[in-house]
Amino acid sequence: MVLSRLVCAFLLAACCCCRRAAGVPGEAEQPEPELLEVEVGSTALLKCGASRSPGNVSHIDWFSVHKEKPTLIFRVRQGQGQSEPGEYQHRLSLEDKGTTLALTHVTPHDERIFLCQGKRPRSQERRIQLRVYKAPEEPSIQVNALGISVNSREPEEVATCVGRNGYPVPQVIWYKNGQPLKEEKNRVHIQSSQIVESSGLYTLRSVLKAQLLKEDKDARFYCELNYRLPSGNHMKESREVTVPVFYPAEKVWLEVEPVGMLKEGDRVEIRCLADGNPPPHFSISKQNLSTREMEEETTNDNGILVLEPAQKEHSGLYECQGLDLETTASLQSDQQELLVNYVSDVLVSPAAPESQEGSSLTLTCKAESNQALEFQWLREKTGKVLEKGPVLQLHNLKREAGGGYRCMASVPSVPGLNRTQLVNVAIFGPPWMALKQRKMWVQKNAVLNLSCEASGHPRPTISWNVKGMASEQDQDPQSVLSFLNVLVTPQLLETGAECVASNSLGKNTTVISLELDSNRTGLNMSTVSPHTRANSTSTEKKLPEPESKGVVIVAVTVCVLVLAVLGALLYFFYKKGKLPCGRSGKQEITLPPSRKSELVVEVKSDKLPEEMGLLQGSNGDKRAPGDQGEKYIDLRH
């Protein structure tokens, strides 16, 4: 028995020696392979030995070892390489005099051991472990939009994180408010899975489930992918998300906008708020001052009570009721008082004040408010403050004191809260004309728009001494403005126009004289007075002055034409030989015998030297530039 065991051990040892001597790659015990790290898509440089001389690398075989099975992929003979048919046939090439095998376009499928073997396997065999890396894409995160109830007894899905096209599978870490989350029984659960794409890359999918509390309603969740590249460790983060958290309300209260002192005319909104999510169904009630009972008010679709415009009747006690539709629990807010500050209508007495010139008048202003009031009087025409207080004293009244006065009642503690009342003071007297007389420049057959303004108490009426289309416009209760459209005729030019204003106390006139303006052109134009008052509302306008530029242009054109004709005439006589010119400056013209008489005409010229070039002598010479001599025309012959 012992002998048989010894024989078996000897045979086993002999078999192992034989297998090592045979040199079959991968069968004998091998040292740890060298590690080579590359990224997907790059080129891997597989070195068989940098220290070997070229003579020792003339015969090398390259193998790829997959699942412990070596496959010949490349041969080197006499420094020349030859790829074997298969998956690496078109991606291998030799570099560094045959000591390096270059593998291009690395993919995740290339992560394996590569073996090079020379003539003497024991001395020239080398194993290289190729590690492949690929950074995943930016992680995407999808939040649970339906939300999570705090009453849930099991962890609910919070969000899902997806990292695509990475290699190897990245590690995922979940965070809440910047703090990493770990698995916690019945509280936090992280479930991750991966899918291998056809490219060999991984897509990671991780689901975070958690049991949330009310305090997590604003919690920010995100995921992080950790991965490695040849350059070291890296990470990528997703965006932050917030998951809806549902919890019952514990408190209900009222909110009023705008905040602060309210006044009549404001737009006021009353809304209910609660500390639950989703908020309960709300209703708003106001206390009835007569019955002291709370009565429900009508709100808009958003459950908001809108007071527009707010009035003093809206003041009172309000409260809010909330009904949780999930738990059917009812909550009620504290009562809150709403105060709308107001100023009542302003009353002025007397309501229609009137007085004689030289007398005095007292105006009194009254108003009510829930706050302290201030009064002031303003002149309507100028806006100037005349008096502060509810009483205005007017002494020694004159005609100019008539017109509008405004009383303003305001609440200093509530900016913008005020009311006013306008009253017109009438001063008895005959009509008063804005202008006594004026002069207008007109053109015959033009259409004029005449105006006349008068004031007085009682209110005056206006009439014209000429026929035309008349209209009136009230300026204030004691003033009137009359308009008259009239055609300019010879009779109107002779008589002019007269405006007569009259009331029960007298009358007054305004005379408008018309003067014919011969310089104005065109028919049917409105002509107005240049004497209208500065504060008058008359629509009359002054006619523009006639332009004189056209007359100047016509005169210049005529002069140019006369000079041109004269020059042409002289040139014609010269060509016909009728105008012999010499340097002496005298020119002789031969007349017909029947018209021979002795006549000498002396012409002095003020033309410039350049213009004198038109007059040339018989020898073709021009007058010298400096020659200012006189020219003579001899008509004796």
Side-chain angles (χ1 to χ4, degrees):
M1 188 68 175
V2 175
L3 180 60
S4 62
R5 288 181 179 179
L6 291 174
V7 171
C8 290
F10 175 77
L11 293 175
L12 180 60
C15 180
C16 291
C17 291
C18 292
R19 291 179 64 185
R20 292 191 188 98
V24 178
E27 293 294 334
E29 294 183 5
Q30 300 293 339
E32 284 295 323
E34 297 181 14
L35 183 63
L36 176 61
E37 297 179 327
V38 295
E39 291 192 45
V40 170
S42 62
T43 299
L45 300 179
L46 308 172
K47 296 182 180 296
C48 193
S51 61
R52 292 178 175 80
S53 62
N56 295 330
V57 296
S58 60
H59 188 108
I60 294 178
D61 291 331
W62 283 93
F63 298 87
S64 112
V65 181
H66 182 54
K67 295 182 179 180
E68 299 184 358
K69 179 181 178 181
T71 301
L72 181 64
I73 59 174
F74 200 83
R75 298 176 184 270
V76 181
R77 298 294 184 268
Q78 302 298 325
Q80 300 296 321
Q82 177 64 43
S83 294
E84 292 294 317
E87 60 177 319
Y88 294 104
Q89 183 175 0
H90 302 292
R91 294 196 290 144
L92 297 174
S93 61
L94 282 179
E95 294 185 6
D96 295 338
K97 300 180 180 180
T99 63
T100 300
L101 182 65
L103 173 61
T104 61
H105 307 296
V106 173
T107 70
H109 301 295
D110 297 329
E111 187 171 84
R112 59 186 64 183
I113 293 177
F114 290 87
L115 173 78
C116 74
Q117 191 179 74
K119 279 186 177 182
R120 296 192 296 274
R122 293 291 298 170
S123 60
Q124 293 192 6
E125 183 176 292
R126 189 172 187 179
R127 299 164 64 87
I128 302 171
Q129 174 66 60
L130 185 62
R131 295 288 185 193
V132 181
Y133 300 93
K134 169 68 169 60
E137 298 174 5
E138 293 288 337
S140 61
I141 188 170
Q142 184 67 39
V143 70
N144 178 8
L146 299 178
I148 298 175
S149 174
V150 297
N151 296 325
S152 177
R153 298 183 179 181
E154 296 182 358
E156 297 285 342
E157 180 179 329
V158 176
T160 301
C161 179
V162 178
R164 302 182 184 278
N165 298 324
Y167 192 88
V169 181
Q171 180 186 8
V172 63
I173 301 177
W174 282 94
Y175 289 84
K176 183 179 78 170
N177 295 331
Q179 299 298 320
L181 293 174
K182 295 182 180 180
E183 287 275 353
E184 185 178 347
K185 187 177 181 180
N186 296 330
R187 295 290 299 170
V188 179
H189 178 59
I190 300 174
Q191 181 180 354
S192 299
S193 61
Q194 57 270 353
I195 300 174
V196 183
E197 308 290 349
S198 60
S199 60
L201 301 176
Y202 290 101
T203 292
L204 172 69
R205 185 176 185 271
S206 179
V207 179
L208 171 65
K209 295 183 177 181
Q211 194 173 32
L212 301 183
L213 304 175
K214 179 180 177 180
E215 292 75 17
D216 296 323
K217 61 185 180 65
D218 297 319
R220 302 183 308 277
F221 296 91
Y222 69 93
C223 63
E224 175 186 281
L225 298 181
N226 292 324
Y227 57 95
R228 191 179 185 282
L229 295 178
S231 57
N233 294 324
H234 300 268
M235 54 85 74
K236 289 183 177 180
E237 296 177 345
S238 72
R239 61 183 178 89
E240 293 183 334
V241 295
T242 301
V243 64
V245 179
F246 302 130
Y247 46 89
E250 299 176 357
K251 183 181 178 181
V252 175
W253 66 94
L254 278 171
E255 183 179 82
V256 179
E257 288 185 357
V259 178
M261 301 285 283
L262 303 178
K263 64 181 184 295
E264 282 190 316
D266 286 345
R267 185 182 193 274
V268 179
E269 292 186 358
I270 303 176
R271 59 169 54 88
C272 293
L273 298 176
D275 59 354
N277 187 33
H281 174 73
F282 294 117
S283 62
I284 300 176
S285 299
K286 180 180 180 293
Q287 186 184 54
N288 188 313
L289 295 178
S290 301
T291 63
R292 299 295 177 180
E293 297 292 332
M294 302 301 295
E295 298 178 354
E296 186 173 345
E297 298 287 322
T298 302
T299 60
N300 62 16
D301 295 339
N302 297 322
I304 300 174
L305 176 59
V306 179
L307 308 178
E308 185 180 19
Q311 299 177 2
K312 65 179 182 179
E313 292 79 9
H314 292 140
S315 298
L317 291 177
Y318 290 82
E319 70 177 14
C320 178
Q321 297 84 30
L323 177 63
D324 193 311
L325 300 179
E326 183 177 354
T327 63
T328 66
S330 179
L331 297 173
Q332 184 170 304
S333 71
D334 296 333
Q335 290 185 346
Q336 182 173 335
E337 183 177 8
L338 181 73
L339 178 61
V340 179
N341 297 285
Y342 69 93
V343 176
S344 67
D345 291 336
V346 179
L347 299 178
V348 177
S349 59
E354 54 185 14
S355 183
Q356 301 287 341
E357 285 190 276
S359 62
S360 298
L361 184 64
T362 300
L363 302 178
T364 304
C365 186
K366 293 182 180 180
E368 294 181 357
S369 175
N370 63 321
Q371 303 286 347
L373 281 173
E374 284 187 358
F375 295 91
Q376 61 180 4
W377 288 90
L378 301 92
R379 191 69 159 110
E380 179 68 10
K381 288 183 179 179
T382 62
K384 180 181 178 181
V385 176
L386 302 177
E387 187 69 48
K388 290 187 176 180
V391 179
L392 175 64
Q393 295 282 350
L394 299 175
H395 300 286
N396 192 21
L397 292 173
K398 296 183 179 180
R399 183 188 301 272
E400 292 79 4
Y405 292 81
R406 186 174 294 275
C407 175
M408 176 184 290
S410 60
V411 178
S413 60
V414 184
L417 179 57
N418 62 74
R419 285 206 178 190
T420 66
Q421 179 61 47
L422 176 65
V423 63
N424 283 285
V425 174
I427 308 298
F428 285 101
W432 178 68
M433 309 301 292
L435 291 174
K436 291 297 293 179
Q437 62 181 0
R438 64 177 186 236
K439 187 175 183 179
M440 298 179 63
W441 293 96
V442 299
Q443 184 168 355
K444 192 175 181 180
N445 296 327
V447 176
L448 296 182
N449 185 12
L450 304 178
S451 67
C452 178
E453 183 178 358
S455 61
H457 183 67
R459 177 185 178 277
T461 58
I462 295 179
S463 61
W464 296 84
N465 70 331
V466 293
K467 293 183 179 181
M469 185 178 295
S471 61
E472 290 187 356
Q473 175 182 326
D474 288 337
Q475 301 297 90
D476 56 53
Q478 284 81 44
S479 298
V480 62
L481 179 63
S482 177
F483 300 97
L484 180 68
N485 289 331
V486 63
L487 180 66
V488 177
T489 62
Q491 182 181 359
L492 182 62
L493 288 172
E494 181 179 352
T495 61
E498 184 179 78
C499 165
V500 180
S502 59
N503 63 8
S504 60
L505 300 179
K507 66 178 182 179
N508 211 334
T509 61
T510 293
V511 177
I512 305 174
S513 60
L514 306 178
E515 292 289 340
L516 192 61
D517 188 354
S518 59
N519 291 331
R520 286 168 169 79
T521 59
L523 299 178
N524 300 328
M525 69 170 60
S526 296
T527 309
V528 297
S529 169
H531 306 292
T532 305
R533 288 191 313 164
N535 61 349
S536 173
T537 58
S538 174
T539 58
E540 298 176 0
K541 299 180 182 178
K542 185 177 179 181
L543 283 177
E545 293 296 330
E547 299 288 347
S548 60
K549 295 180 180 179
V551 178
V552 175
I553 294 174
V554 171
V556 172
T557 304
V558 171
C559 292
V560 172
L561 291 175
V562 170
L563 292 176
V565 171
L566 181 59
L569 183 60
L570 294 175
Y571 184 76
F572 173 79
F573 284 144
Y574 165 72
K575 283 295 187 179
K576 292 295 185 177
K578 303 295 184 177
L579 189 64
C581 299
R583 296 185 63 86
S584 63
K586 294 184 178 180
Q587 303 167 7
E588 184 174 296
I589 300 177
T590 303
L591 295 178
S594 62
R595 301 191 56 185
K596 284 188 178 181
S597 62
E598 292 185 358
L599 179 62
V600 177
V601 179
E602 179 179 322
V603 179
K604 295 184 179 181
S605 173
D606 58 354
K607 287 184 176 294
L608 294 176
E610 293 82 0
E611 297 174 349
M612 301 304 298
L614 292 175
L615 302 178
Q616 300 179 357
S618 59
N619 55 1
D621 294 336
K622 296 181 180 180
R623 180 180 295 273
D627 188 358
Q628 299 295 329
E630 299 172 348
K631 297 190 292 291
Y632 295 89
I633 301 178
D634 191 351
L635 302 179
R636 291 174 295 177
H637 306 289

